[in-house]
Amino acid sequence: MNITIKDFLEGNTALAPSKGYPIHDVIKSSLDNREEVFLDFNGMELMTTAFLNAVIGKLYSEFTSDVLNTYLKIKNISSSDLVLLKKVIDTAKLYFTDPEAFDDHMKKTFNDE
Amino acid sequence: MNNPINVTIPARVLCNEIGYDFLSALAGETISASGSEINFNFGNCTWFEGNLCAVLGNILDGLVQRNNKIRFNNINNDILNTFSRNKFLSAFIPNDSLELDSLTIPYQKFKLVDEQKAKDFIKAELFDKPDMPHMSDEAQKLILINIFEVCVNAITHGQCEFVYCCGQFFPMKNPPEVSISFVDLGRTIKANVNEYLKVQMTGNKTILWALDEGNTTKTGNEPGGLGLKLLQSLINYNKGSLQIVSADGFVELKNNVFREHSIKDYFPGTIVTIKLLLGDSNFYCITNEVNTDNIF
């Protein structure tokens, strides 16, 4: 299945998380059925990490890295957006792999001061 | 009509402890005013930094919504011109006739409903100015992403409807600079972080905590955005500065160093002021090659 992000928006800009949830839901639905998804960033000019979190970060609460690597493919993403996406993925992995450890890490940061 | 409230504007309202203290006190003291006449006396004021119109505008907007009547008294021509040219005045006084100045990012409040329009507006106001140095597309994009990360952050964490913004260019500086302030009168960083961690940190410590990589007050099945962390890296690359004021906290990032300031009052929301240098077209280079295969 091909999902073009721009088709869900009124332009080439995606800022708020709310714009990402419908895209996330379509991806999730395909991945639930183990269908291959091509997520197409063609035509996108500006995206925030808040938006990318809503589209992709949230998937880590529902699927493993193995499932995502097998069934979700990224297309036509610019190099700068790819760097941004990688940051979002790394944070989501840390957040969902072990939420308690993530929480501990944050609290420790404070307590160590 | 209740008793009038008289506010004396200090001699110089700048992005420093004195300026933020004054604006914090003003926001706090007028937050419950309704049905009053509020007189702003600019008689002593000789300088008011244009980007701080975002803060004053956010406060005044709330006052107008609560049926207060606002008057500006004894305002000098220079400040009047600044307020007029950056469209601050016309937000409160209809038919203000001075033309928009190319050295300002006009006073604006965003709801972020029409994202395309918001982006096009900021992009045009920030980068399509005459005499401004050209910045690479990637550098422009990075700045825009960071600006909107701050706006989304404010709306998400501040739980407010609007973000207020205003900016001022300094083209004669070498290199040229722009200062932009973003303001929300909503939940403070201090309230969010202390509630999340169930502790009682000072405003400064909560801001520093929020700026630390990996820290977020978001809970549930969606991780937090990276807005403030990205902004730090932009500021460090650009050699600009970042100021965050929230509750009783005021933290500044400059030359890779965080400096904690003290403000006497309490700002009932968050102010983010960024100063960017505009001369370096390629200040930000993406060095990490990332492959999309097995990215997850």
Side-chain angles (χ1 to χ4, degrees), chain A residues 12-13 16 21 49 53 65 103, chain B residues 115-116 119 149 196 224 296:
Chain A
N12 55 21
T13 302
Y21 297 137
T49 58
N53 254 324
S65 279
D103 209 40
Chain B
E115 300 187 334
Q116 189 72 35
K119 189 264 286 177
E149 293 277 0
Y196 176 78
F296 300 106

Side-chain angles (χ1 to χ4, degrees), chain A residues 11-13 15-16 19 21 45 48-49 53 58 60 65 69 78 80-82 93 95 102-103 106 109-110, chain B residues 113 115-116 119 123 138 141 149 196 201 209 212 214-215 220-224 226 286 290 294-296:
Chain A
N12 55 21
T13 302
L15 308 177
K19 298 289 164 73
Y21 297 137
E45 191 178 311
T48 63
T49 58
N53 254 324
K58 200 168 146 60
Y60 280 87
S65 279
N69 274 321
S78 71
S80 56
D81 286 335
L82 186 56
K93 273 180 172 172
Y95 184 80
F102 189 81
D103 209 40
M106 289 193 284
T109 305
F110 157 64
Chain B
V113 172
E115 300 187 334
Q116 189 72 35
K119 189 264 286 177
K123 189 177 179 185
E138 284 301 320
K141 180 176 171 176
E149 293 277 0
Y196 176 78
M201 286 196 275
W209 185 91
D212 197 30
N215 287 355
N221 65 351
E222 190 183 332
L226 303 170
I286 293 161
V290 182
N294 291 316
I295 192 173
F296 300 106

Side-chain angles (χ1 to χ4, degrees), chain B residues 9-16 19-20 22-23 45 47-49 52:
Chain B
I9 309 291
R12 291 167 69 80
V13 182
L14 309 173
C15 296
N16 58 19
Y20 289 131
F22 161 69
L23 291 164
C45 186
W47 190 262
F48 195 107
E49 276 194 31
L52 291 178

Side-chain angles (χ1 to χ4, degrees), chain B residues 89-103:
Chain B
L89 221 48
S90 62
F92 299 96
I93 301 171
N95 304 322
D96 175 51
S97 60
L98 274 184
E99 283 185 12
L100 189 64
D101 191 329
S102 67
L103 298 181

